[in-house]
Amino acid sequence: MQPEVGMTVADYVGAVRRRRLVVWGIVSPIVLIGVALAVGLPDVYRSAARFRLVSSGIDGVVQRRDELIDQYIRGLSDKVLSPEILRPVVREVNPYSDLEGQEDLAIAKLQSHVIVDMTRQTVLEPGGGRERTINTGFFVAVDHRSSEMAAELARRLTALFVEHGRADLLAAATNRVEFFTAETERLSKQISDLERQMADFKSANFGRLPETVQANVMTRGRAEQELEGVEREVRTLQQNRVFIAQQLRQAQAGPTAGNLQALEAEYAEKAAVYAETHPDMLALRRQIDLLRTGGGVVAESSLQAELEAQQAALVEARQRYSDDHPDVRRMIRNIESLQVRIASGETTLATTDTLATTQLRTQLNAINTQIAGLQSRAAQLRVRLAQLDTQLGATPEVERGFQSISRGLDTAREQFNQMINKKMDAEVEVAAINSGSVDRFALVASAGVPLEPAGPKRLGILVVSVVASLTLAFAAVVAAELFDSGVRGSRDVRNALGVTPLSVIPEIRNSVFRVRRKKRLMAFAGAVVLGIPTLFLAVRMVAA
Amino acid sequence: MSLIESALQKAKKLTGNASGEPPATHLRPAHVRLPERDAATLAAEAAQARVLPTASVGQRAMEEAGVILAVEDEAVQNAYRILRTRVQQRMQAQGWHSIGVTAAGAGEGKTLTSINLALALARDANTWVCLVDLDLTRPKMAAYLGLKFGKGLSDYLAGQASVEEIVYNPGIERLALVPNAQPLLHSSELIAAPRMQLLCNWLAAEVPRRIVVFDLPPVLMTDDVMKFAPNLDCTLFVVSEGVTARDVLQRAKEVLDEMNVLGVVLNRSTEIEKSYYY
């Protein structure tokens, strides 16, 4: 049954007065516990180190978002406060003497006494002017009953945070270095393969490469020109051969004065060019001498002797001229012609030949030899031209393949250069991290020895216990009133029966009442007298 | 309609004149002037009183029970005085001489209220009182008073004693007691028996005329009260704060509507603890 609507403050006060036992039963133990806690809890000292977040520029992110910062610090805190990291600290410092030998418990206790939290600042957004709270840093605090121990633990944790913060960066940077190194090696190998492929391609397509097109064109031009020259020279020699053959036929018909004069004129003309020991000059001299002596020369000389004479003259000519000299080359042709005749079984020169005919015949043979040589050369040139045409015809296809390999090679080289640069950047980053110049956070306030205890908030505990007890007591009173179906006061009687009581009899305070109240007081006093020290000792034991 | 109004209407019917008009005195019972009697009249009355067998009361028992003779609490004394005065005025206004004290359930203070009311009434020099323990199933009046006596109401109803043998003088002026020591079965039948009527008639014929206060059992636990109601002029209903439930009170009201209810007394109240200190 619920209390009647419209209850006044006096009704509530009356309800509290009626439920004094309930109120005291709730308030007393809670306040006692509060007093025991406020008095019994030992002092706790807090030593804290403060860090400021630093904008990172190495990785390109100028300002991290708050949630990333928060997550990063939380992750770093979880790592530093892990048992593996704290175990050496606990072993060296031994912060809890009562847990000596129980490292796991000591670690767990230390973890529960470490506070890591962000520090925030309210700033105005540049654009809209709206206030925003951002993370500017974080702090690491350690609670301990000894101020020196709190400071020592805080200093060690500070060093661990710095160390592991750098370790994270270093690990990331080292990974990048390794990655870029592997990439450069891979690209280097790829480049080597492509270069080898290029070399093989060039070897297989030598002369058809795009870079040789110009040379091939020029070579073809020169070959064409040379072929034209050779053919022109062949034609000229053929004309000369016809003329000399005619002269030979004339010379074979007999010697004349005209011939002597011609020979003398030719001798005088050639004397301006050649020396007297020149073979042509010697041959002309002999012919002139023979004509002057009045007879034909019945010379019966062997081819072998002629060959030897030509060879001797060649030796002498080579002393003066190079092998490219026309006379030397003519002598060589003569010698080759004599050797051919000797090899064919011919042994003697024509005995009826005069000097002129011999000379003419020699010239004719030389011309034949020249023509043969030139024709051979022309054939070579034609073959060479055909080769060049083939090469030039295959050049576009070869060029396509060449470009393909070239592109791959250029791309690989470009990538290689990029990887080299990135690798260098990563190596620089590693060096910077090791030097501590790119830490994500900087220590702004190191942990010192606290002079005053940070807790417990004794007054606060007392106030909270009093407020809580009163609140609970009032709630209990209200609940008791809510669930109390008994009559309370004259108003309930009026509401139920429609009549005001003739009299309101208060509770009789006789000896029984006094004895009962006395028992309650004694029980309460006993609870207080025993409870406070017991709670105090319990709090001390638990706090220890 | 409240209990008082319904009781008053019933009283109108019972005490109205021949024309059917109710007497004017009932309209404002609180303002009835009590008759004044001098010392000689009072002494003459006392001389007329029957000599009753004596029964001693125990001071310690009365103090532990909360009987006002042994309690020094001024607030309690005042409260019972107020109750006495109001009861007296209303009863005299209606010419009533018998009142039953009951409650809805057990443990609400009926017996103590009836004892203290009887004692408070007896303190008035103009009033003679007889207190009868009619709670035949759980008689407690003798225990509260620490009364040492011989035969009681149970003996009378069993036919083993006469009326004269069971009405005692406890040594308190103007007060007579009819105690009961043994609980009885079939209480409602005994209450309705002729011997009970004889007792009521005997008590009504006493000189000086006494106000008979009957300590009755709870009205919702037995039918004794309803059986005995015709022998009562009025009823006083006791409500105990914190003990009587509201829904029980509602049920009791339905029963009380059939009776003459003089009024209600709120017992064990924490409402006005200091106002009685004057």
Side-chain angles (χ1 to χ4, degrees):
Chain A
M1 188 177 296
Q2 294 189 359
E4 184 181 322
V5 175
M7 288 180 66
T8 63
V9 174
D11 294 328
Y12 285 109
V13 172
V16 171
R17 192 176 295 149
R18 280 193 300 274
R19 309 281 179 185
R20 282 192 297 272
L21 275 180
V22 172
V23 171
W24 281 111
I26 291 174
V27 168
S28 303
I30 295 176
V31 171
L32 284 176
I33 291 173
V35 168
L37 287 173
V39 173
L41 286 175
D43 289 335
V44 174
Y45 294 88
R46 175 172 291 183
S47 180
R50 296 191 175 273
F51 295 89
R52 177 178 58 87
L53 295 173
V54 177
S55 299
S56 171
I58 293 295
D59 58 2
V61 178
V62 177
Q63 183 177 4
R64 295 184 181 279
R65 294 164 56 187
D66 279 354
E67 52 270 27
L68 294 179
I69 296 173
D70 205 354
Q71 288 176 9
Y72 169 70
I73 298 300
R74 294 270 172 245
L76 184 62
S77 173
D78 290 343
K79 185 176 178 183
V80 171
L81 297 180
S82 64
E84 295 78 22
I85 305 298
L86 290 181
R87 197 175 298 275
V89 174
V90 168
R91 281 180 189 162
E92 291 173 16
V93 178
N94 191 23
Y96 309 110
S97 56
D98 55 329
L99 294 178
E100 195 165 356
Q102 303 177 53
E103 280 184 0
D104 293 335
L105 291 177
I107 290 169
K109 189 170 182 178
L110 178 58
Q111 288 173 331
S112 67
H113 288 171
V114 174
I115 303 165
V116 179
D117 205 354
M118 307 299 298
T119 53
R120 296 174 177 82
Q121 188 178 359
T122 302
V123 296
L124 292 176
E125 287 185 357
R130 191 175 56 181
E131 279 191 355
R132 196 164 72 94
T133 302
I134 61 170
N135 291 320
T136 57
F138 67 98
F139 67 89
V140 178
V142 179
D143 291 341
H144 199 278
R145 277 189 275 163
S146 163
S147 57
E148 288 82 12
M149 186 60 71
E152 177 62 24
L153 289 170
R155 280 194 285 268
R156 286 183 180 249
L157 285 177
T158 300
L160 286 173
F161 266 85
V162 171
E163 177 189 335
H164 288 276
R166 286 180 187 167
D168 287 345
L169 289 175
L170 191 62
T174 303
N175 285 339
R176 282 198 288 275
V177 169
E178 291 174 355
F179 172 75
F180 291 135
T181 301
E183 281 297 297
T184 53
E185 289 175 359
R186 181 184 67 82
L187 288 169
S188 175
K189 183 176 178 303
Q190 185 179 355
I191 291 170
S192 296
D193 292 340
L194 285 171
E195 286 175 344
R196 185 171 52 253
Q197 189 177 350
M198 177 67 83
D200 292 342
F201 185 83
K202 283 184 177 179
S203 296
N205 296 281
F206 183 75
R208 293 183 289 175
L209 296 171
E211 62 205 28
T212 61
V213 168
Q214 192 65 29
N216 287 345
V217 170
M218 290 176 63
T219 302
R220 189 180 187 282
R222 285 198 297 272
E224 278 185 341
Q225 287 178 358
E226 187 179 350
L227 179 63
E228 286 176 3
V230 168
E231 288 176 345
R232 196 168 41 249
E233 194 172 345
V234 166
R235 285 196 293 275
T236 302
L237 288 174
Q238 285 174 344
Q239 289 174 359
N240 288 344
R241 185 174 63 181
V242 170
F243 177 70
I244 291 174
Q246 187 178 6
Q247 281 187 335
L248 180 62
R249 282 191 296 275
Q250 288 176 358
Q252 284 176 341
T256 60
N259 291 340
L260 179 64
Q261 285 177 356
L263 289 174
E264 286 178 349
E266 186 180 351
Y267 185 87
E269 186 180 350
K270 287 189 178 178
V273 179
Y274 303 118
E276 287 184 358
T277 57
H278 195 276
D280 288 347
M281 299 300 286
L282 292 175
L284 281 172
R285 186 80 254 163
R286 283 195 301 271
Q287 286 180 356
I288 290 171
D289 288 341
L290 284 175
L291 287 176
R292 278 184 182 165
T293 57
V297 173
V298 182
E300 185 175 313
S301 63
S302 66
L303 288 175
Q304 188 63 38
E306 183 63 23
L307 177 65
E308 292 172 358
Q310 289 286 332
Q311 286 174 344
L314 176 64
V315 170
E316 189 177 352
R318 277 179 170 163
Q319 291 178 355
R320 292 198 189 95
Y321 309 114
S322 67
D323 286 348
D324 292 332
H325 194 277
D327 290 340
V328 173
R329 291 167 60 185
R330 183 171 55 75
M331 287 180 189
I332 291 171
R333 288 196 295 274
N334 287 338
I335 288 168
E336 288 175 355
S337 173
L338 285 171
Q339 286 174 340
V340 168
R341 287 172 67 184
I342 291 171
S344 67
E346 196 175 341
T347 56
T348 57
L349 286 171
T351 53
T352 57
D353 285 342
T354 61
L355 182 62
T357 56
T358 302
Q359 190 175 7
L360 287 172
R361 185 170 279 115
T362 302
Q363 289 180 0
L364 188 65
N365 291 335
I367 286 171
N368 285 333
T369 303
Q370 287 181 356
I371 289 172
L374 287 172
Q375 285 177 340
S376 173
R377 178 63 182 156
Q380 290 178 352
L381 287 173
R382 288 192 189 91
V383 168
R384 179 67 180 141
L385 281 173
Q387 288 179 346
L388 287 172
D389 288 339
T390 303
Q391 288 178 355
L392 288 172
T395 295
E397 187 64 24
V398 171
E399 183 178 10
R400 192 171 67 83
F402 177 82
Q403 290 296 337
S404 173
I405 298 172
S406 181
R407 272 196 304 274
L409 190 58
D410 291 341
T411 301
R413 284 179 178 149
E414 187 178 347
Q415 289 176 349
F416 178 81
N417 290 334
Q418 288 177 356
M419 288 299 113
I420 283 290
N421 290 334
K422 287 185 178 178
K423 178 186 168 186
M424 287 174 60
D425 290 342
E427 287 172 346
V428 169
E429 184 181 355
V430 168
I433 290 169
N434 284 327
S435 69
S437 59
V438 290
D439 288 342
R440 286 179 178 170
F441 46 85
L443 182 67
V444 295
S446 60
V449 178
L451 300 177
E452 296 291 333
K457 307 291 182 191
R458 304 184 190 281
L459 183 60
I461 292 172
L462 275 175
V463 171
V464 167
S465 63
V466 168
V467 171
S469 64
L470 290 176
T471 305
L472 282 174
F474 184 75
V477 166
V478 171
E481 289 292 307
L482 279 174
F483 292 104
D484 184 8
S485 59
V487 171
R488 292 291 175 190
S490 304
R491 185 165 55 185
D492 281 354
V493 174
R494 234 180 352 258
N495 293 336
L497 301 177
V499 60
T500 303
L502 294 176
S503 181
V504 178
I505 312 296
E507 187 165 11
I508 299 173
R509 299 185 180 186
N510 55 0
S511 60
V512 173
F513 174 84
R514 284 191 290 273
V515 167
R516 188 167 60 239
R517 185 172 62 178
K518 186 177 177 182
K519 284 180 181 176
R520 288 175 186 168
L521 284 174
M522 287 183 65
F524 176 75
V528 171
V529 169
L530 294 175
I532 288 182
T534 305
L535 286 170
F536 181 83
L537 290 173
V539 165
R540 282 287 187 184
M541 286 175 63
V542 170
Chain B
M1 182 186 295
S2 69
L3 288 175
I4 298 299
E5 288 171 352
S6 64
L8 289 175
Q9 281 193 353
K10 287 172 189 171
K12 283 181 199 175
K13 292 177 189 174
L14 293 174
T15 60
N17 52 24
S19 64
E21 291 179 0
T25 55
H26 80 282
L27 293 174
R28 298 178 71 180
H31 294 254
V32 171
R33 183 185 295 276
L34 296 174
E36 294 181 2
R37 285 182 282 183
D38 55 10
T41 306
L42 295 174
E45 266 190 356
Q48 291 178 354
R50 191 193 296 273
V51 177
L52 300 172
T54 57
S56 62
V57 294
Q59 198 69 21
R60 183 185 174 86
M62 287 195 296
E63 196 278 337
E64 289 178 356
V67 177
I68 55 175
L69 283 183
V71 170
E72 296 177 357
D73 194 335
E74 193 61 30
V76 174
Q77 301 285 346
N78 285 335
Y80 279 111
R81 288 194 195 103
I82 292 171
L83 178 64
R84 178 227 19 224
T85 302
R86 286 184 165 179
V87 167
Q88 251 183 338
Q89 287 177 346
R90 292 188 182 202
M91 290 181 74
Q92 288 191 354
Q94 301 296 332
W96 294 338
H97 290 90
S98 62
I99 179 170
V101 179
T102 187
E108 300 193 19
K110 303 177 302 303
T111 303
L112 184 60
T113 300
S114 59
I115 291 172
N116 285 337
L117 175 61
L119 287 170
L121 287 167
R123 278 177 176 171
D124 183 11
N126 297 311
T127 307
W128 290 72
V129 184
C130 181
L131 177 61
V132 180
D133 188 354
L134 210 53
D135 191 347
L136 301 180
T137 52
R138 293 176 63 183
K140 289 186 291 186
M141 183 186 76
Y144 280 16
L145 292 172
L147 200 65
K148 298 189 186 318
F149 62 98
K151 296 183 179 179
L153 181 60
S154 56
D155 299 314
Y156 169 77
L157 291 174
Q160 295 171 359
S162 63
V163 175
E164 292 81 1
E165 290 177 314
I166 64 169
V167 181
Y168 292 93
N169 176 11
I172 300 169
E173 277 189 282
R174 294 177 293 279
L175 178 64
L177 301 175
V178 178
N180 185 18
Q182 295 179 354
L184 297 173
L185 299 175
H186 310 297
S187 55
S188 61
E189 288 79 9
L190 291 171
I191 276 180
R195 287 186 75 81
M196 182 57 69
Q197 191 62 49
L198 284 174
L199 175 61
C200 293
N201 294 337
W202 189 92
L203 291 172
E206 272 288 285
V207 177
R209 185 68 189 273
R210 293 178 186 265
I211 292 177
V212 183
V213 180
F214 292 93
D215 178 19
L216 298 171
V219 68
L220 293 181
M221 297 180 74
T222 67
D223 63 344
D224 294 6
V225 177
M226 299 190 64
K227 276 278 180 68
F228 193 73
N231 296 314
L232 295 172
D233 291 332
C234 59
T235 308
L236 181 66
F237 191 67
V238 179
V239 176
S240 181
E241 185 170 289
V243 177
T244 309
R246 296 187 191 93
D247 57 338
V248 171
L249 210 55
Q250 291 290 338
R251 284 191 286 132
K253 181 176 183 301
E254 294 171 6
V255 177
L256 293 173
D257 280 343
E258 299 174 8
M259 303 165 63
N260 273 349
V261 177
L262 180 77
V264 176
V265 58
L266 180 60
N267 196 18
R268 298 197 190 104
S269 174
T270 58
E271 197 173 62
I272 40 174
E273 295 179 353
K274 295 182 181 178
S275 63
Y276 279 146
Y277 295 94
Y278 180 70

